[in-house]
Amino acid sequence: MRERARVCRRQRVRALLRRTSGGFLLFFDKSWMHTPEALAKHFIPYNAKFLGNTEVDQPKGTEVVKDAVRKLKFQRHIKKSEGQKLPKVELQISIYGVKILDPKSKEVQYNCQLHRISFCADDKTDKRIFTFICKDSESNKHLCYVFDSEKCAEEITLTIGQAFDLAYKKFLESGGKDVETRKQIGGLQKRIQDLETENVELKKQLQVLEEQLMIAQVPPGNSMSSKSPTDIFDMVPFSPMTPLVPLPASNGSAPPPPARPTEIRRDLFGAEPFDPFTCGAADFPPDIQSKLDEMQRQRWRGSKWD
């Protein structure tokens, strides 16, 4: 039974490696152009223009591919009339699948695993066009990817065919375990891609929050005015941070009285205004001061005898 299953598998592979009618070329058996190590341990890069992808009803078939190419070419002409150019992409082909990347940022746009690719062909009427059908891992829909390469359309198709041939040989050698391993690797690669996308979004959100925080910390331009605010009577309001009573000196002694101005303002009667902070014993004339001292002594004597 195992031998019969292997024969059936070989027949299915040979069916993929034959020329078909209708202008499209499937994989055909010929000497491969790349070493097995290049596809098994690394990848083969190609540059191409991406027409896009579209959903198809069948996983394979020449007519299915031709309809998808016509549809995407029509969409390309509409975008070209609007001034849009075809985006350039980089294809990385290996025994694990076909990756579609942005050529500048190297960001993976699509990761088409090899075991999900069911059909691949290049257009013999338009030698620049090649395409393959891949089953989407999330929606389970069959999507047809179409590319435009001026010189390498047939070579890219053959490279994908060589990747299939090497993957099938590894499948026979491992007894099917290698396919499960590739599925797990593909799932991990998709998980890594999702996490990288999520990381980029979180970095953008963090940058926006930091900018908002910096804007909130900057005071308004008119808040640093040198002029103090006043009330309705144009007077500076009392502030507890500026006490009226002078603070004591650092050595514990009483602070010196404030210096009197050189020019003393006088009232309407020519007298100096009373200043409780600068008023002292030395400010009275000698005759008045002696009378005050006598009155103080008499008051003291009277209170003593009482």
Side-chain angles (χ1 to χ4, degrees):
M1 293 295 293
R2 291 182 180 178
E3 185 64 27
R4 185 176 180 181
R6 290 182 179 180
V7 172
C8 293
R9 287 171 190 162
R10 291 194 186 98
Q11 290 176 353
R12 286 198 299 268
V13 172
R14 287 168 184 168
L16 288 173
L17 302 178
R18 70 174 184 270
R19 185 182 297 272
T20 60
S21 60
F24 281 85
L25 178 68
L26 287 174
F27 312 132
F28 56 91
D29 194 4
K30 61 180 295 183
S31 59
W32 301 118
M33 58 188 66
H34 303 290
T35 61
E37 291 78 12
L39 286 166
K41 297 181 180 180
H42 304 284
F43 57 84
I44 306 298
Y46 289 101
N47 292 322
K49 295 180 180 179
F50 187 36
L51 275 73
N53 57 16
T54 183
E55 184 181 356
V56 292
D57 299 331
Q58 301 295 328
K60 57 183 178 179
T62 303
E63 293 300 324
V64 174
V65 171
K66 289 172 69 175
D67 291 340
V69 171
R70 281 195 295 265
K71 179 180 178 180
L72 292 174
K73 277 186 175 181
F74 178 74
Q75 294 178 1
R76 182 189 66 174
H77 286 306
I78 295 176
K79 292 180 180 179
K80 187 177 180 180
S81 63
E82 296 175 352
Q84 298 183 19
K85 296 182 179 180
L86 278 177
K88 296 181 180 180
V89 295
E90 178 183 336
L91 301 176
Q92 293 182 356
I93 303 173
S94 67
I95 62 172
Y96 300 105
V98 179
K99 288 184 179 180
I100 305 171
L101 300 88
D102 182 271
K104 294 183 179 179
S105 64
K106 301 300 179 181
E107 181 182 356
V108 179
Q109 299 176 353
Y110 301 95
N111 185 14
C112 302
Q113 300 173 16
L114 199 68
H115 67 276
R116 293 184 175 274
I117 297 177
S118 56
F119 191 84
C120 181
D122 60 281
D123 190 352
K124 304 314 292 182
T125 59
D126 188 352
K127 296 184 179 297
R128 301 177 306 172
I129 302 297
F130 70 95
T131 177
F132 62 82
I133 299 176
C134 180
K135 188 176 182 181
D136 186 65
S137 59
E138 295 182 356
S139 62
N140 286 329
K141 296 179 180 179
H142 295 284
L143 301 178
C144 183
Y145 295 79
V146 181
F147 301 88
D148 185 339
S149 179
E150 234 175 275
K151 301 177 180 179
C152 302
E154 184 177 357
E155 181 179 342
I156 295 173
T157 307
L158 293 174
T159 303
I160 297 176
Q162 184 180 0
F164 266 104
D165 184 56
L166 293 173
Y168 179 70
K169 289 179 179 178
K170 291 193 68 175
F171 171 79
L172 295 179
E173 293 173 359
S174 63
K177 295 180 181 180
D178 189 61
V179 175
E180 297 297 328
T181 304
R182 287 203 302 272
K183 288 182 180 180
Q184 294 176 2
I185 293 175
L188 291 174
Q189 288 176 345
K190 188 177 184 307
R191 178 59 178 165
I192 292 172
Q193 182 180 353
D194 294 339
L195 290 175
E196 289 177 350
T197 305
E198 184 180 356
N199 189 25
V200 171
E201 294 296 329
L202 290 176
K203 284 183 178 179
K204 291 181 180 178
Q205 295 179 8
L206 181 60
Q207 185 177 0
V208 172
L209 291 175
E210 288 178 351
E211 292 176 356
Q212 293 177 354
L213 182 60
M214 292 177 63
I215 293 173
Q217 290 178 349
V218 175
N222 57 358
S223 65
M224 300 301 292
S225 177
S226 58
K227 187 178 179 180
S228 301
T230 58
D231 56 11
I232 58 175
F233 302 104
D234 200 23
M235 297 181 65
V236 178
F238 172 75
S239 175
M241 300 302 294
T242 56
L244 296 176
V245 181
L247 298 174
S250 59
N251 55 5
S253 61
R260 300 183 66 181
T262 57
E263 295 182 1
I264 301 175
R265 295 183 181 181
R266 300 179 181 272
D267 57 9
L268 296 175
F269 303 98
E272 296 179 5
F274 177 75
D275 190 356
F277 296 103
T278 61
C279 180
D283 294 335
F284 297 101
D287 55 340
I288 296 176
Q289 185 66 41
S290 61
K291 291 181 180 180
L292 289 174
D293 294 338
E294 182 65 26
M295 291 173 64
Q296 184 69 22
R297 286 194 295 269
Q298 290 177 2
R299 184 180 178 187
W300 179 78
R301 289 171 184 171
S303 61
K304 181 177 181 182
W305 292 106
D306 291 340

